[in-house]
Amino acid sequence: MAEPTIVTREEQPYVALRSNVAMDEIGAFAHRLDEVASWMAARNVLPVDAPFFKYDEIDLEAGLVLEIGYPTDDRHAGEDPIVSGVLPAGKYVSMTHRGHPAQLIDATRELLAWAKQQELEFDVDGNKWRCRLEIYKSDPHEVPDMNDWETELLIRLRD
């Protein structure tokens, strides 16, 4: 895993599917990314970057509030079940993980520990995160072996 860094990002519009998801349902929910892609294609909305998971609320017992989607060029009005939003501008801790998505829990632990060591403060209120992302940089059609996937972890820092 690459050493974490601090990056500055501009705001980024997106469309996504949002749901309450139990920890053991994340994989099944990930397969619904095709619904977002189909919705976008039907409206001639093109993704401008790789798909992402956005963790809005993390409660290991009650479950997650999770969005899966794509960044877009402009804001678009969502239609149930598709939502739209803007990933906020600001400073983020970033780390690139190369390997199977099942290893992302450990990679995230490493990123969180590094940030704590650096005395960085995340933009979080209890279990609610302002912007906590996993960006899936590898296209499964081009990189079929999940052990070779590249995923960027991004967590917004408090202003």
Side-chain angles (χ1 to χ4, degrees):
M1 278 174 253
E3 180 79 12
T5 59
I6 297 174
V7 298
T8 301
R9 292 176 50 96
E10 299 298 318
E11 72 175 23
Q12 176 66 65
Y14 71 91
V15 294
L17 182 63
R18 180 180 172 97
S19 187
N20 294 317
V21 180
M23 290 295 289
D24 62 354
E25 296 172 341
I26 294 173
F29 186 60
H31 289 292
R32 296 186 64 194
L33 190 59
D34 289 342
E35 292 177 41
V36 182
S38 295
W39 183 92
M40 292 172 69
R43 289 154 185 82
N44 295 317
V45 175
L46 297 174
V48 295
D49 204 351
F52 62 82
F53 283 22
K54 181 174 178 277
Y55 293 82
D56 293 333
E57 203 167 325
I58 300 174
D59 183 327
L60 299 182
E61 292 176 16
L64 311 168
V65 176
L66 185 60
E67 295 180 26
I68 52 174
Y70 291 92
T72 58
D73 57 350
D74 278 320
R75 286 196 75 149
H76 296 275
E79 300 166 38
D80 193 33
I82 302 298
V83 298
S84 65
V86 175
L87 304 175
K91 292 191 184 300
Y92 288 74
V93 173
S94 169
M95 186 172 81
T96 299
H97 169 73
R98 285 184 182 78
H100 197 285
Q103 299 166 341
L104 286 171
I105 291 173
D106 291 334
T108 301
R109 243 186 240 118
E110 185 179 315
L111 181 146
L112 294 171
W114 179 87
K116 184 175 183 178
Q117 199 172 47
Q118 304 298 314
E119 298 182 359
L120 299 172
E121 188 178 353
F122 290 116
D123 195 352
V124 60
D125 182 16
N127 293 332
K128 296 180 181 181
W129 295 80
R130 177 95 186 277
C131 193
R132 181 171 171 167
L133 303 169
E134 294 171 356
I135 301 175
Y136 289 84
K137 301 284 190 173
S138 300
D139 181 337
H141 301 292
E142 296 172 12
V143 185
D145 185 347
M146 294 172 82
N147 293 304
D148 295 329
W149 281 14
E150 182 177 307
T151 308
E152 182 181 11
L153 302 174
L154 277 168
I155 304 177
R156 189 175 191 283
L157 294 170
R158 195 174 303 279
D159 291 326

